Amino acid sequence: MSVLARHLKTLSLAVGLGLFAQGAVFAQDSFELRFNHVLGPNEPFHKGFEAWAERVKERTDGGLTIQVFHSAQLGVEEDIIEQIRQGANIGQNTDAARLGTYVPGIAVVNGPYFVGSLEESFKLADSPTMQEWQAGLAEQHGLKVVCFDWVQGFRNFYTNAPVRTPEDLSGQRIRTPPAPIWQESIRALGAEPVAMNFGDVYPGLQQRAIDGAELVYPNITAANLNEVVDHANETKHILLTNFQVVSSQWFDGLPSEYQTALVEECRAAGQATSAEIEEATQTAKATLKERGMTIVEDVDMDAFRAAGEKAYETLGLVEAKNKVQEEIGIKAGQ
């Protein structure tokens, strides 16, 4: 091989390696998150997640994009969370009840009558105990909480008979998610909990596999559940605070400015969506009245609050509940 040929070969190899390196750098500067949730496309949360995605894309000049998948298109929640723990670039809208299977204390957030307003829910981010639990999720279980400012409203019991006291729920099979705090909360409030995916609630009610469900008002209108239950019982037993989680490994691999954008825009979109849901709740309630649903408002709240305490006792979470409530300014028994 001539000197010129060897020189050209070396130059070609160098150029090729340079282009490869540039491609590698480009690939590292471009990130995608596939975000999954179980709710339908008409739910306020879905639109809120799309707004979050749009703001993150704008803020990072397209360097970080979020694809939002509704109706559990990527899979059921528990399976997605396991993929997240393994480092996949997937996110999931979940709740403290499921996260409590990894760090038990955090489950109190979805316990009965834990917080009673949006303001109290948003204060949770400043709780030192909550911050400690989030660190445990990330460091020990690979789950990074991006934010939890997504409040889906008060959960009520939806049945085919009026419910005014815990005794009225005796013997009723009520659908609830498959996590200990959910199960024990519903049991403490008087019903028999039945674990079931959200997408199976309509046929479950239709086929009488369950007698009712505990959900928020917009869930009922979005899924037309008023076709299979006719009473909305305003127990307001849980103010449902949702958590947005991603892989801590994936999150740690993002540029710091992308991390900041993801978190800050998550909080902003979550708080805006939570406010919209308060309005949507009233709209959904009015719609259900028009459709013939009976709204039971004269519920014995004191009786339900007292009954709900048993859930914390059963799971050994009384101390954790009291500690967080004290940190955010909720007085005992409030």
Side-chain angles (χ1 to χ4, degrees), residues 167-189:
E167 289 73 26
D168 292 333
L169 285 170
S170 179
Q172 293 209 48
R173 297 160 298 169
I174 301 295
R175 176 270 173 184
T176 194
I181 189 69
W182 287 115
Q183 299 282 301
E184 292 305 327
S185 293
I186 300 315
R187 187 174 286 113
L189 295 174

Side-chain angles (χ1 to χ4, degrees), residues 142-322:
L143 293 169
K144 166 65 180 177
V145 174
V146 180
C147 82
F148 50 99
D149 296 72
W150 298 72
V151 183
Q152 208 171 349
F154 285 108
R155 290 174 83 89
N156 301 304
F157 287 102
Y158 298 89
T159 60
N160 284 304
V163 172
R164 293 183 173 86
T165 68
E167 289 73 26
D168 292 333
L169 285 170
S170 179
Q172 293 209 48
R173 297 160 298 169
I174 301 295
R175 176 270 173 184
T176 194
I181 189 69
W182 287 115
Q183 299 282 301
E184 292 305 327
S185 293
I186 300 315
R187 187 174 286 113
L189 295 174
E192 177 186 340
V194 177
M196 181 180 288
N197 290 327
F198 178 72
D200 297 328
V201 172
Y202 189 107
L205 287 164
Q206 192 174 41
Q207 297 162 16
R208 296 293 183 257
I210 52 176
D211 300 307
E214 49 94 36
L215 295 163
V216 297
Y217 270 120
N219 288 157
I220 308 304
T221 51
N224 294 316
L225 294 179
N226 56 286
E227 296 174 357
V228 283
V229 286
D230 54 27
H231 280 70
N233 308 284
E234 293 192 340
T235 51
K236 299 182 179 180
H237 52 276
I238 294 172
L239 182 59
L240 182 54
T241 299
N242 286 247
F243 288 64
Q244 314 317 322
V245 297
V246 299
S247 162
S248 56
Q249 177 184 336
W250 176 83
F251 183 85
D252 290 343
L254 294 175
S256 61
E257 63 270 25
Y258 287 12
Q259 293 177 351
T260 300
L262 191 67
V263 171
E264 290 183 351
E265 297 305 335
C266 181
R267 296 207 68 184
Q271 292 190 18
T273 303
S274 298
E276 290 174 8
I277 283 181
E278 281 201 318
E279 296 181 9
T281 295
Q282 296 307 312
T283 300
K285 179 177 176 178
T287 298
L288 291 170
K289 278 185 178 180
E290 292 174 2
R291 293 179 183 177
M293 179 169 272
T294 299
I295 311 296
V296 180
E297 297 177 313
D298 57 334
V299 171
D300 187 342
M301 298 299 286
D302 289 339
F304 272 105
R305 285 179 182 278
E309 288 298 310
K310 187 176 180 181
Y312 298 108
E313 295 169 3
T314 299
L315 295 171
L317 294 174
V318 174
E319 184 179 349
K321 173 182 77 79
N322 292 342

Side-chain angles (χ1 to χ4, degrees), residues 96 105-117 120-121 123-124 127 129-130 133 148 154 181 185 236-241 243 305 308-309 312 317-331 333-334:
I106 205 168
V108 298
V109 176
N110 282 143
Y113 304 102
F114 180 65
V115 292
S117 68
E120 289 178 350
S121 183
K123 284 181 182 179
L124 289 172
S127 159
T129 300
M130 286 293 296
W133 288 336
F148 50 99
F154 285 108
I181 189 69
S185 293
K236 299 182 179 180
H237 52 276
I238 294 172
L239 182 59
L240 182 54
T241 299
F243 288 64
R305 285 179 182 278
E309 288 298 310
Y312 298 108
L317 294 174
V318 174
E319 184 179 349
K321 173 182 77 79
N322 292 342
K323 188 175 182 181
V324 176
Q325 286 184 331
E326 182 181 354
E327 289 173 354
I328 64 173
I330 297 178
K331 297 179 182 179
Q334 183 174 325

